[in-house]
Amino acid sequence: MKLVVAVVRDETAQALCDNLSKSGFQATKLASTGGFLKAGNSTFLIGLKATEVPQVLEIIKQTCPSHKVLKGDLTLSEGSLKSAASDHNRHLPNEVVLGGATVFVLDVEQTMKF
Ligand code: 2BA
């Protein structure tokens, strides 16, 4: 048994929920906040068989493309990003590449449902 932990942009979170569900995978979506930009993102917990990991990684890869955010773009839709940028103004690079997903694959010793 494995646990895939995937941090994705909020903008792609609903599509990821839908695509995982369509393919028969159960997932839990947690509201989370990036430590650097302090903008909201979503963290998925996906419990699955080891043999299913490649399929889930492919779904995540296809659903969550990476996204470049330029300093000048921070006034656009990402409201929380804008305020994060003002907090971090001196440290924020001109261009931040928000990965489509940051993924961790962990071994699970035991799983149970009561
Ligand atoms: P944040 O921590 O808000 O980071 C957003 C983006 O800012 C990062 O995108 C990266 O491009 C940039 N960044 C982060 N720390 C930086 C620094 N010290 N200096 C310069 N640029 C920096 P991603 O790497 O795609 O990460 C997106 C989100 O995934 C992160 O949001 C965080 O919530 C999570 N994440 C990334 N790496 C992680 C890790 N090793 N452990 C736990 N969570 C991680």
Side-chain angles (χ1 to χ4, degrees):
M1 191 82 185
K2 297 280 184 183
L3 180 69
V4 171
V5 178
V7 184
V8 308
R9 294 166 44 229
D10 279 341
E11 289 79 0
T12 55
Q14 192 53 53
L16 183 58
C17 265
D18 294 345
N19 291 343
L20 288 168
S21 180
K22 262 188 252 166
S23 301
F25 293 107
Q26 291 192 25
T28 296
K29 178 167 85 72
L30 308 173
S32 46
T33 305
F36 184 65
L37 291 178
K38 302 206 168 17
N41 52 28
S42 295
T43 299
F44 282 77
L45 304 180
I46 309 159
L48 71 185
K49 294 181 197 147
T51 52
E52 295 171 324
V53 169
Q55 189 188 351
V56 160
L57 295 183
E58 192 55 31
I59 292 170
I60 295 171
K61 198 171 155 188
Q62 295 302 323
T63 313
C64 307
S66 65
H67 176 69
K68 281 185 189 165
V69 181
L70 301 174
K71 242 181 184 172
D73 287 342
L74 296 174
T75 52
L76 297 176
S77 57
E78 285 111 341
S80 54
L81 206 49
K82 183 185 171 192
S83 60
S86 60
D87 286 352
H88 285 281
N89 208 26
R90 276 172 300 180
H91 309 293
L92 196 69
N94 282 333
E95 180 181 281
V96 173
V97 179
L98 286 175
T102 300
V103 181
F104 306 89
V105 181
L106 293 88
D107 287 323
V108 174
E109 195 173 311
Q110 211 177 359
T111 178
M112 59 204 80
K113 292 184 183 182
F114 296 110

